[in-house]
Amino acid sequence: MKTRLAILILVVLLALLPAYAGKYAVYVVIHILLLSIFSLGFNLLFGYTGLLSFGQAGFYAMGAYGCAKILLAYPSLLVGIVGGVVTAGAVSLLLGFLCIRHTRIYFSMLTLSFGMMIFSLAWKWRDMTGGDDGLVGIPRAPLEIPGLFKINMAPMENYYYVVLAFAILAITLFYRIVHSPMGLAMQGIRDSETRTACIGISVRKYRLLSFTIAGLYAGLAGALLPPLESTVTPPLAHWSHSAEPVLATLLGGVHTFAGPIVGSVLFYLLKDIIVRFTEYWQLCLGIIVVVLVMGFRGGVASIFLRERGRR
Amino acid sequence: MKAILRTESLGKYFGEMAAVHEVNLSLQEGLFTSVIGPNGAGKTTLINILSGYMLPDRGKIYFREKEITRLGPDKRVKMGISRSFQVMNIFPRMTVFQNILLPVLSRLNKTSSAFSSLQSQKEAVGEAEKILGEVWLQKEKDSRGGELSHGDQRLLELGIAVATNPQLCFLDEPSSGMNPIERIKVLELVKKLASERNTTFIIVEHDMDIVFSLSDWIVVMNRGEVLAEGKPGDIRENQEVRDIYLGEDI
Ligand SMILES: Nc1ncnc2c1ncn2[C@@H]1O[C@H](COP(=O)(O)OP(=O)(O)OP(=O)(O)O)[C@@H](O)[C@H]1O
Ligand SMILES: [Mg+2]
């Protein structure tokens, strides 16, 4: 009951955000929502299935480039976003086949390599990706279903509501997935792969599903970016970007449902603040993350959710 | 009586060492069968091969006369074969209830359901509750698997193995690490489950008193080979068996 009320208040506050907060705050919240979606997907693999991926930025970039290419050719926001998500999902399904045959450090290294392959593709395949200049001038196309409605997205506040809607949808779906039989099967694999196989569950199938869903989430976060920034560049696919959901999740808590979301808020705000004071922001951020992770074993979110050991 | 599981010249080799060698077994449906033998005799390796956890290097395995030699463990479970592990292998971070619910969901082919809640799986929930009661873990339902006492973890291990409702179930030292009184209780529970659930259990057990009093059939292994098999009375009289258990009272 308490949790529900808190969620309701949070959603109302978010829904009214443009009314009481400035443009910059709206911009920051959009980024936090993107990182939350990105981190949740990552945590399906890590916290729920026991696979640590260092290549999620590759799928994020697939979503971003996919959406950008579509918007440049055909300016419809929905088509762009859905197209980006589908691209990322297809690529993650494909690479998933290869990655999920391995676990632990081998899996991590493989995802890292594939992520970097996507990065170099973004860098080198100039005709397609614009190389190091990236793709520019991506329109924030109107949200439109022909014959039904057409909403202008030029004001960022309008686009904020699109992102918020997608984030709420993604988070709700995620909640259902991890509390479903399929989610339980993934947790079984995390706890004991051999035991899971010996109760009749195909470990590979559920690892692949988890990998693909994580890829879809990364793709969604990525696809929501180009309409905001109007540009996409190769660093989106870089491994250091893959590290962001890892750190956000560790900060917030691997084993709590809301951990990656809480972590994303913290991570983004910390980064945003530190960047203003020092060019060594990565070093400072690294130290703070280490201190927080060691100080709050189980993540910052576990303080709020301790009672029921919710995951 | 008919063989529920049969092997032909089964072999598994680790380098030079024959962990299982030339094993020709015919396990009878409905017979409470024990596999005994000294440490390193190959009992666990045999279970690993029969449950699909490891592939044999030689030989064939038939389940109800269907060849299953190279089938993966998950497929064998679907056919009705399950197992427990000698070294505790439960789901430590999941609750005791979820530990049992997952194999039940697996048996009911419900694990690909991605959007329904666990509570909405009425049939599975009911069955899991029932099994929890059968293995005396009703009270521990909401604890995490990893937080249980050793004895309760062994019971959970047993519960998971029977939750897939197997026709044939291998239990690798279900009472290891327990005191003699607990051992008897657990083995009697297994016997009870065998008759109630119509499951053929093949157990590995070190306590000879229990083995000889509870088993219908005993398979003796030594150095990877089956040294003898037969009724408890015959095994007790077997000189070769007496030799490998030299000094022990059987
Ligand atoms: N994965 C493995 N790699 C190498 N050797 C192994 C492996 N598994 C088992 N062995 C060896 O095979 C032999 C048989 O082992 P196994 O575990 O099957 O014996 P066991 O009869 O179950 O013994 P215990 O009563 O101690 O459980 C032993 O010598 C063991 O060291
Ligand atoms: Mg053994």
Side-chain angles (χ1 to χ4, degrees):
Chain A
M1 237 6 247
K2 249 195 192 160
T3 322
R4 286 208 183 157
L5 191 66
I7 292 171
L8 192 70
I9 292 172
L10 186 63
V11 170
V12 170
L13 283 179
L14 282 171
L16 297 177
L17 185 76
Y20 61 82
K23 258 194 157 37
Y24 185 68
V26 172
Y27 176 82
V28 166
V29 172
I30 292 180
H31 268 287
I32 290 176
L33 291 173
L34 295 198
L35 184 56
S36 299
I37 298 172
F38 192 19
S39 304
L40 274 181
F42 161 80
N43 201 38
L44 184 69
L45 264 180
F46 184 52
Y48 289 92
T49 321
L51 293 169
L52 173 56
S53 168
F54 282 130
Q56 290 309 97
F59 305 121
Y60 186 103
M62 280 291 167
Y65 276 90
C67 173
K69 286 303 265 191
I70 292 171
L71 287 182
L72 285 169
Y74 180 80
S76 159
L77 191 64
L78 272 184
V79 176
I81 293 171
V82 172
V85 173
V86 170
T87 312
V91 174
S92 63
L93 180 67
L94 208 73
L95 295 184
F97 270 112
L98 304 168
C99 292
I100 53 101
R101 289 159 184 274
H102 305 271
T103 53
R104 283 164 285 178
I105 189 74
Y106 308 100
F107 172 83
S108 301
M109 290 300 112
L110 216 54
T111 49
L112 181 65
S113 320
F114 280 126
M116 287 312 278
M117 272 160 70
I118 294 174
F119 172 72
S120 60
L121 212 61
W123 194 262
K124 298 282 184 216
W125 195 7
R126 278 197 156 271
D127 299 340
M128 190 67 181
T129 64
D132 53 358
D133 298 330
L135 300 171
V136 293
I138 302 154
R140 195 181 297 150
L143 180 70
E144 176 183 20
I145 293 182
L148 272 181
F149 62 85
K150 180 172 184 173
I151 303 169
N152 181 18
M153 283 293 131
M156 193 172 63
E157 291 76 12
N158 289 8
Y159 186 60
Y160 166 74
Y161 285 109
V162 173
V163 175
L164 184 60
F166 270 108
I168 291 175
L169 181 72
I171 293 170
T172 312
L173 277 182
F174 193 82
Y175 186 85
R176 303 215 58 156
I177 291 172
V178 300
H179 292 89
S180 73
M182 185 198 272
L184 194 61
M186 288 171 183
Q187 292 167 57
I189 293 169
R190 171 202 66 199
D191 272 17
S192 170
E193 182 189 328
T194 53
R195 193 31 137 165
T196 306
C198 288
I199 55 172
I201 293 171
S202 163
V203 172
R204 280 197 186 171
K205 175 179 155 190
Y206 289 97
R207 274 209 197 115
L208 183 60
L209 275 168
S210 178
F211 195 91
T212 308
I213 296 171
L216 286 168
Y217 272 69
L220 175 62
L224 290 170
L225 187 75
L228 178 70
E229 302 286 8
S230 83
T231 149
V232 290
T233 51
L236 291 181
H238 196 255
W239 67 264
S240 57
H241 190 219
S242 290
E244 289 195 6
V246 180
L247 294 177
T249 303
L250 286 177
L251 260 179
V254 175
H255 294 298
T256 40
F257 174 79
I261 302 171
V262 174
S264 296
V265 177
L266 275 176
F267 182 87
Y268 194 87
L269 292 181
L270 280 174
K271 181 170 130 181
D272 200 52
I273 293 165
I274 300 170
V275 163
R276 290 177 204 184
F277 293 105
T278 164
E279 56 182 305
Y280 298 110
W281 65 272
Q282 282 161 315
L283 179 69
C284 291
L285 191 59
I287 293 171
I288 293 176
V289 168
V290 168
V291 169
L292 285 180
V293 167
M294 290 176 56
F296 298 91
R297 297 203 59 195
V300 178
S302 62
I303 322 170
F304 305 112
L305 294 158
R306 201 179 297 268
E307 352 88 75
R308 265 163 300 169
R310 278 230 160 167
R311 279 178 242 156
Chain B
M1 252 182 283
K2 56 182 180 183
I4 188 164
L5 188 122
R6 192 165 63 77
T7 71
E8 280 172 10
S9 311
L10 217 49
K12 179 80 194 175
Y13 308 89
F14 297 112
E16 290 286 279
M17 215 253 324
V20 166
H21 180 65
E22 274 297 314
V23 167
N24 297 289
L25 273 178
S26 181
L27 303 172
Q28 300 301 307
E29 183 154 23
L31 282 194
F32 197 87
T33 303
S34 298
V35 179
I36 63 170
N39 289 115
K43 305 178 295 290
T44 297
T45 306
L46 181 65
I47 289 184
N48 284 342
I49 297 173
L50 297 182
S51 63
Y53 184 73
M54 269 179 189
L55 290 180
D57 297 319
R58 289 195 50 197
K60 294 202 159 91
I61 309 166
Y62 300 88
F63 178 66
R64 299 195 183 286
E65 292 311 318
K66 259 211 205 103
E67 197 190 329
I68 57 164
T69 314
R70 310 206 77 77
L71 228 49
D74 52 317
K75 303 237 167 60
R76 291 190 205 196
V77 173
K78 292 284 176 213
M79 297 177 78
I81 304 175
S82 85
R83 70 169 293 180
S84 75
F85 289 82
Q86 178 174 357
V87 178
M88 207 77 75
N89 197 348
I90 57 171
F91 303 110
R93 287 196 54 87
M94 287 165 30
T95 66
V96 169
F97 178 67
Q98 290 173 333
N99 266 267
I100 302 289
L101 184 63
L102 186 55
V104 175
L105 287 167
S106 163
R107 184 178 74 74
L108 298 172
N109 294 317
K110 288 287 164 51
T111 45
S112 31
S113 166
F115 301 114
S116 68
S117 73
L118 295 177
Q119 288 72 34
S120 71
Q121 300 288 335
K122 294 267 189 294
E123 188 185 356
V125 168
E127 228 178 277
E129 297 275 3
K130 186 167 156 272
I131 293 164
L132 273 180
E134 285 178 328
V135 296
W136 310 322
L137 287 174
Q138 196 57 258
K139 270 198 296 206
E140 312 293 340
K141 177 175 173 193
D142 295 321
S143 322
R144 284 179 199 248
E147 289 165 356
L148 294 183
S149 68
H150 176 86
D152 283 348
Q153 288 196 10
R154 296 256 51 137
L155 287 172
L156 184 56
E157 179 89 45
L158 172 65
I160 296 172
V162 297
T164 59
N165 208 8
Q167 300 163 42
L168 177 64
C169 182
F170 299 100
L171 300 179
D172 199 349
E173 306 201 16
S175 70
S176 78
M178 293 181 165
N179 68 41
I181 296 164
E182 290 174 324
R183 274 167 187 257
I184 295 175
K185 273 176 67 180
V186 168
L187 269 301
E188 276 172 353
L189 171 64
V190 174
K191 264 216 110 153
K192 184 165 147 255
L193 291 173
S195 62
E196 285 175 3
R197 305 188 139 257
N198 241 331
T199 303
T200 302
F201 283 99
I202 314 294
I203 64 162
V204 173
E205 175 56 54
H206 275 296
D207 187 323
M208 288 306 137
D209 290 337
I210 296 183
V211 167
F212 280 93
S213 65
L214 290 184
S215 313
D216 301 317
W217 195 259
I218 297 175
V219 176
V220 188
M221 290 189 73
N222 191 30
R223 300 178 180 213
E225 297 187 59
V226 173
L227 185 76
E229 57 174 321
K231 294 197 178 112
D234 300 334
I235 294 298
R236 205 190 289 271
E237 301 308 318
N238 186 305
Q239 194 51 50
E240 277 185 297
V241 177
R242 297 188 85 90
D243 288 345
I244 64 163
Y245 279 101
L246 201 68
E248 260 187 77
D249 201 17
I250 64 168

